[in-house]
Structure formats: structure tokens, C-alpha cells
Amino acid sequence: MGHTPLAGHATPAPKKRWYRQLYFWVLTAILIGILVGWLAPGAGVAMEPIGTTFVNAMKMLIGPIVFLTIVGGIASVADLKRVGMTGLKALTYFQVGTICALVFGLVAINIFRLGEGVNANASTIKTTDAAAKLIASGSHEQWWQFLTDIIPTSVIQPFVEGDILQIIFIAVVFGIALNALGKVGAPVLDGVQRLTGVMFKILGFIMKAAPLGAFGAMAFAVGKYGVSSLTSMGGLIALFYATSILFVVVVLGSVMAFLKLNIFTMIRHLKEEYLLILGTSTAEPALPGLMRKLEHAGVKKETVGLVVPTGYSFNLDGAAIYLSLAALYIAQATNTHLTIGQQLGLLAVMLLTSKGAAGVAGGGFIALTATLTTLGTVPAAGIMLIFGIDKFMSECRALVNFTGNAVATLFIARWDRTLDVDRVRRVFAGEVVDTLPGEDAAATRPGNPGDNAPGRPADVEPALTASRRPAYSEPV
């Protein structure tokens, strides 16, 4: 089976044949899905249940995995103040990153001004039933609601509805309480670690169907909306993609350079997750894989468990670029003049409304409508001008959001002075490094189909030895 390399002596990762690697099959499935949707639109639309079933199966695991990971990370640390500081640092970074993304979008649409000349009359814009529901939902959203909605009305509700913010809240409270119990809570923590392993094993089973899910989702998207839909507003789509790419290369690339890492090697290391997002148009299925790969790269489990799930709700760089571009485009298209001060006010409102609809179906439109309603100067009905092309921008939003959260986790780890930059660099380069305590070496091997299905932690061991058992603080 091979030998374990000596510490500090990495060797090139054994290459698996191209036809056995997960990313090859996902990419192939995406291409086949595009062809089916293009050549046989009816058949493509009929593939929708395949894609939605796979995404639903992945979402089924997101809540439990986020909960168990956060609880296990917080409950096993000796210094809770450190966890609190990590959370504050993450929220600070998220806000700065969101501001940068919003500014990128505002600058881009002010330079190219694609909405000028459309001359749309907001009073005559017809809204579809689906859009009308989103507009109605967004018009009732308040900028402060994301704060009050964090607290659920029941313990079970967030897991049923998939509300990540509320799951994070419950997990943090539960983890702190478990940590405060000290040795009394040790059996519960052991159970949490074992359950984490079970959930990741289930994830591994589901990930084998990733190519099928990507095929179904892509065939449906192209079959329903048609390739011709791209040409009608190709300029706005192209501007959004170009702005997003520039943001990733310039802003996120600069953050990685500050960490003495290369963003392109990170992207290559996460290629399976990127293809999964591209095929399903959502970043949620890639969350567990990102968490395991960052842990394998050397980021502490508690940092990954706290920053990554929180970032999925608070650090939405792609969504921020989309919101600022879309809002200014609608203003230009409806001949609504906004001064620099009003645009900055729009940016301030977006900092809050972009969090309010995180994880909600149609969240982008709800956040956009809430922003326009709060500002009161741009007609909310104008979202119909971009309603038809939203699907073709969702993949890019999810990819940028995912990249931003990967970079954010590395940055916060460095801020906490717990990042082994040399190990991260070697892992991203595809080298074999020593597995960390509790890792499944096979599941973290580069090129393994289980890369997206994180390996089991210490739960797979029949007994947790005293030397491996997490440290607990005595009850105060």
C-alpha cells in the first residue's frame, strides 16, 4: 500500500489514472448535460429531478456536519476566549471583504454603464408569479432581521429548514456548554466525534453520485433557459464574470500573496469542489470537502469549523458583486439617477441585507429587493429586467463565494498564528504530507474519489487513548 513519508520529507503524490478521478467524471457529466439540454431541451428539462435529488441529499448532511464540527471544535479547546477572538476576527474580515466586493461591482457598472439606453418604464414592467413572490418577500425584509432571526424558535427547526445561521448559533452555545462541563462532558464529546465520522462516511457514499447530479442540474438549466438566453443580456453577464475574476485574482490573490501562498495552486487543489459547484450551481455541496481539505492542510479544526460555515452566510463575495452590479444596472435602466452619496448609502444597506437572505431560496433576489425597498429610490419591480439571466450568474456567484471562504479561513488561521504555511503550500502543490491525528489517510490522498468526502476523525478508532483525548477544563 506504500509507506508513510518521514516528517518534513514530502514526496510527489501518486497519480491516479485520469479516468478514475472524480473531477474528470464531473466535468464529463457537465459537458454531456450541456449537450443534452442544447440538442434535446425537453429531455434536458426532464433531468431536473436527478440534479435536485443529489443537491437535496447533500443539503441533508450540511446541517448535521456543521453542527457536529463546530461543537467538536469548541468543546475540545482549552481556551474559550481564543475561540471568541477567532469569531470576532472572522466577522471583521467578512465585513471588509464584503465592502471590497461591493465596491468592485459599483466601480465596474459605473465605468461601463450597461443600463443606459434601456429606458425601461418601471410602472409597465410585468412580473411573473415567481418574481412577484420574491419581490413581496424582499419588500418585507428589514435590515436588522438577520440579527433577530439567528435565534430559532425550536432546536429542531433549523435542521429541518436548513438555516445555517441558526444551526451555527445552536452549535456554538452547545459547544460552550459542553466545554464548561469538563470531564463530565467527555463521553458526549466522544459521541460527537464518532457521529462526525458517520456523517462523513455517508457523505462519501453520496459523493459517488456527484457526476450524475451535475449532469441532471446542467441538462435542466440549459434545456429550460436555452443557450440563446445568454445573448440577450450577454454584456451584463460578461461584466459580472469579468469583475468576479478580477476580484478573485486581485483582491483574494493579494490576500494569498500576503500569506505567502498562491491562489492558483489553491484553486487547482480544490478542483473537485469547483466542478461540483459548477454542475449544481450552489456552493453548499462543496462545504464538507472544503472543511476536510483545509484541516488536512493544517488549519486547526476549531478554526475551520467556525469560519467556513459562518462564511457561508456572512462572507458572500460573489453575491456582493452581483448585488451592487444588479442594483446599479436597474437604476440606470429605469433612468434613476443616483449620486455618489446615494450609491454609498446603497452599499451600506447591502452590507446588512446581503446577510438577511443567506441560505434562503431566491436569496439573491430577496436581498436585492430588500435593498431597493430600503433605499426607496430605485423601483423594486426592475428586478424583472435581470430575472431571466440570474440562473447563468448563479454558478459564478457560488464559485466566488466558495473561493472567498477558503481564503478567509487561511487568513484567520494566520491571524491566530496557527497556520503552518509550509504544510499548506506543500498540500496545495499536491505533495503527500503526514496525516494529522485522527485523519483517514486514504480519504485525503490527492486524486482519491473520496476527496470530497472527508475522512473519518478519531471516531473510527475503537478506543480513544488518553494521549489522543482532547483536553478539558475543570468546571468553574
Side-chain angles (χ1 to χ4, degrees):
M1 295 296 293
H3 63 280
T4 303
L6 296 175
H9 295 277
T11 58
K15 297 293 183 180
K16 303 196 78 171
R17 294 185 182 275
W18 55 271
Y19 57 82
R20 296 186 61 189
Q21 298 194 29
L22 179 65
Y23 73 85
F24 165 76
W25 290 108
V26 173
L27 181 59
T28 301
I30 290 173
L31 294 176
I32 295 175
I34 292 174
L35 288 175
V36 170
W38 177 35
L39 300 176
V45 172
M47 297 297 106
E48 181 184 16
I50 299 177
T52 55
T53 299
F54 172 76
V55 173
N56 289 338
M58 291 294 298
K59 287 184 175 181
M60 170 186 71
L61 300 178
I62 298 300
I65 287 177
V66 168
F67 175 79
L68 293 170
T69 304
I70 293 178
V71 170
I74 294 178
S76 61
V77 298
D79 186 4
L80 281 180
K81 291 183 179 179
R82 190 177 188 88
V83 175
M85 288 302 300
T86 298
L88 289 176
K89 291 174 183 177
L91 292 176
T92 301
Y93 176 92
F94 294 161
Q95 287 299 88
V96 173
T98 301
I99 291 173
C100 291
L102 289 170
V103 169
F104 254 67
L106 288 177
V107 171
I109 196 65
N110 273 293
I111 292 175
F112 292 95
R113 307 192 70 81
L114 298 179
E116 290 187 346
V118 176
N119 298 321
N121 186 342
S123 62
T124 61
I125 295 178
K126 296 182 179 180
T127 58
T128 63
D129 291 340
K133 291 179 181 178
L134 294 175
I135 293 175
S137 177
S139 62
H140 292 91
E141 284 284 322
Q142 301 295 328
W143 63 266
W144 43 262
Q145 277 189 291
F146 81 96
L147 292 173
T148 57
D149 289 346
I150 289 178
I151 302 177
T153 56
S154 74
V155 175
I156 304 299
Q157 176 187 345
F159 295 92
V160 175
E161 299 181 354
D163 193 317
I164 298 298
L165 277 177
Q166 293 182 349
I167 292 174
I168 292 172
F169 174 80
I170 296 174
V172 170
V173 174
F174 191 94
I176 292 174
L178 188 58
N179 185 290
L181 285 175
K183 293 181 179 179
V184 176
V188 178
L189 180 54
D190 282 348
V192 167
Q193 292 173 334
R194 295 175 189 278
L195 282 174
T196 303
V198 173
M199 299 308 299
F200 278 135
K201 180 55 66 176
I202 296 173
L203 178 67
F205 297 151
I206 295 176
M207 279 306 304
K208 296 182 185 299
L212 196 60
F215 161 76
M218 189 58 67
F220 167 75
V222 177
K224 182 174 178 62
Y225 300 100
V227 178
S228 60
S229 307
L230 295 172
T231 60
S232 60
M233 296 189 68
L236 182 59
I237 296 173
L239 180 61
F240 174 61
Y241 273 75
T243 305
S244 298
I245 292 172
L246 192 65
F247 177 83
V248 170
V249 174
V250 175
V251 178
L252 300 183
S254 298
V255 175
M256 291 291 284
F258 171 77
L259 301 177
K260 299 181 180 179
L261 297 170
N262 189 307
I263 193 167
F264 297 107
T265 60
M266 183 196 76
I267 291 173
R268 185 171 64 247
H269 180 66
L270 298 172
K271 57 183 178 293
E272 288 89 357
E273 284 75 18
Y274 281 110
L275 287 173
L276 184 61
I277 294 170
L278 184 64
T280 60
S281 300
T282 176
E284 287 183 338
L287 184 149
L290 174 63
M291 294 173 71
R292 173 51 63 190
K293 286 189 173 182
L294 289 176
E295 285 182 27
H296 178 64
V299 182
K300 285 185 174 297
K301 184 177 181 179
E302 56 266 27
T303 302
V304 172
L306 188 61
V307 177
V308 173
T310 307
Y312 262 60
S313 294
F314 283 92
N315 188 40
L316 306 175
D317 295 332
I321 295 173
Y322 165 80
L323 282 175
S324 55
L325 273 177
L328 263 293
Y329 175 84
I330 293 171
Q332 293 170 4
T334 56
N335 297 317
T336 304
H337 177 70
L338 295 179
T339 65
I340 297 297
Q342 287 175 316
Q343 292 187 32
L344 292 178
L346 184 69
L347 185 149
V349 173
M350 285 180 180
L351 278 174
L352 299 172
T353 56
S354 61
K355 275 71 175 178
V360 179
F365 274 105
I366 292 175
L368 179 58
T369 305
T371 302
L372 300 183
T373 303
T374 302
L375 192 65
T377 55
V378 182
I383 70 168
M384 280 305 301
L385 298 173
I386 60 173
F387 189 75
I389 62 170
D390 178 72
K391 172 62 184 174
F392 297 101
M393 295 193 280
S394 61
E395 289 89 351
C396 186
R397 285 200 302 265
L399 290 169
V400 177
N401 292 342
F402 179 83
T403 306
N405 284 314
V407 174
T409 307
L410 293 169
F411 182 86
I412 299 304
R414 172 66 182 274
W415 196 351
D416 278 342
R417 298 182 180 180
T418 60
L419 184 66
D420 186 344
V421 175
D422 181 64
R423 180 184 174 91
V424 174
R425 190 181 295 116
R426 288 187 287 137
V427 169
F428 284 178
E431 298 177 356
V432 173
V433 298
D434 295 336
T435 56
L436 297 170
E439 273 194 310
D440 184 346
T444 55
R445 186 173 61 245
N448 185 60
D451 280 349
N452 282 345
R456 292 172 291 183
D459 58 290
V460 297
E461 299 177 13
L464 201 61
T465 62
S467 61
R468 294 277 300 281
R469 190 178 297 277
Y472 297 94
S473 57
E474 294 291 339
V476 178

